Amino acid sequence: DGRVVHLRGYGDDGTGRAVTPQTGFILGSMSKAFTALVAMQLVEGGKLALDAPVQDYLPWFKVADPEASRRMTVRHLLHHTSGLPTTARRARTDPATLQDHVRALAEDELVHALGEVHEYSSPNYLVLGAIIEQAGGRSFAEQVQEGVFTPLGMSHSFTSPPSATLDSMAPMARGHRYWFGFPRPADLAHEADRLPTAALISSAEDLGRFLSALLG
């Protein structure tokens, strides 16, 4: 009924502090859920059409198959049915931008025909993020902040580590890597160029607000 009934932090955040419900974590691929929501906000606002070709928003977009490049739609990206491979190329520039990664797909062959097979592939949401920026007329980060974080009161959710470090009530977790089977604290890189698919920051408490909004 819209209430959180259990909320607790577990373990160590990598700096010696106990994890709390407000501790920030890089969400990794859970970022995609926010990307999908922002895309649907644009659909409801009449700025994005699910069955419109990607090239309606990104005229320069292409993959190795010219016909697939013309026919790929926003819906294909949202549903992971575009055929884009999980191992698709990334931009080689350093630093890279979101658009750089999308342009790098130009030489990739699809591994399935459009719309025929669901195969989870992060590049779908890189392309979707670039479309969101074009259709919404603002950066992806701004649209997530203004369209989701702020209205849902997600005060411990951020689009960049510098913003998160200003949150004195909820420092970010450092992260861990495995060494010989044991987790060791490590500083994990923040992939700002892959924000729509891998790099939003949030807490257990804020994810509870997000889930409650979706279920409601």
Side-chain angles (χ1 to χ4, degrees):
D1 298 323
R3 294 186 305 112
V4 174
V5 296
H6 181 72
L7 185 64
R8 181 181 166 188
Y10 293 85
D12 184 295
D13 72 353
T15 68
R17 296 182 299 249
V19 171
T20 74
Q22 295 78 36
T23 300
F25 290 87
I26 297 175
L27 293 183
S29 285
M30 286 192 291
S31 302
K32 294 179 179 68
F34 293 87
T35 303
L37 178 57
V38 174
M40 294 308 298
Q41 287 176 331
L42 291 172
V43 170
E44 290 185 349
K47 296 181 179 180
L48 188 62
L50 289 176
D51 294 309
V54 173
Q55 289 184 346
D56 279 8
Y57 305 98
L58 307 175
W60 45 266
F61 170 78
K62 61 180 180 178
V63 290
D65 181 344
E67 181 64 17
S69 302
R70 289 191 292 271
R71 293 179 48 232
M72 192 179 297
T73 68
V74 174
R75 191 186 299 271
H76 288 137
L77 301 173
L78 276 165
H79 289 179
H80 293 278
T81 57
S82 68
L84 283 169
T86 301
T87 56
R89 291 170 176 79
R90 293 188 186 181
R92 296 179 180 177
T93 54
D94 186 21
T97 66
L98 176 60
Q99 283 204 4
D100 290 336
H101 289 304
V102 177
R103 290 182 186 276
L105 301 174
E107 299 177 18
D108 277 296
E109 298 281 354
L110 299 187
V111 292
H112 303 290
L114 283 172
E116 289 194 359
V117 176
H118 171 272
E119 182 168 325
Y120 177 86
S121 178
S122 288
N124 286 296
Y125 275 62
L126 293 177
V127 182
L128 189 59
I131 290 173
I132 286 170
E133 291 193 332
Q134 181 63 32
R138 292 173 297 158
S139 73
F140 176 81
E142 290 174 312
Q143 292 185 68
V144 171
Q145 182 66 54
E146 296 171 18
V148 185
F149 291 169
T150 298
L152 292 183
M154 297 175 66
S155 58
H156 303 299
S157 298
F158 306 95
T159 58
S160 70
S163 299
T165 57
L166 299 177
D167 186 3
S168 59
M169 289 180 57
M172 264 188 70
R174 186 179 174 197
H176 292 77
R177 293 190 187 279
Y178 278 99
W179 290 86
F180 301 104
F182 296 95
R184 298 289 299 275
D187 293 316
L188 305 180
H190 182 259
E191 299 179 279
D193 49 321
R194 301 179 68 246
L195 194 60
T197 190
L200 293 176
I201 298 164
S202 193
S203 67
E205 182 178 64
D206 279 4
L207 288 178
R209 293 175 183 272
F210 180 65
L211 288 171
S212 181
L214 293 183
L215 293 170

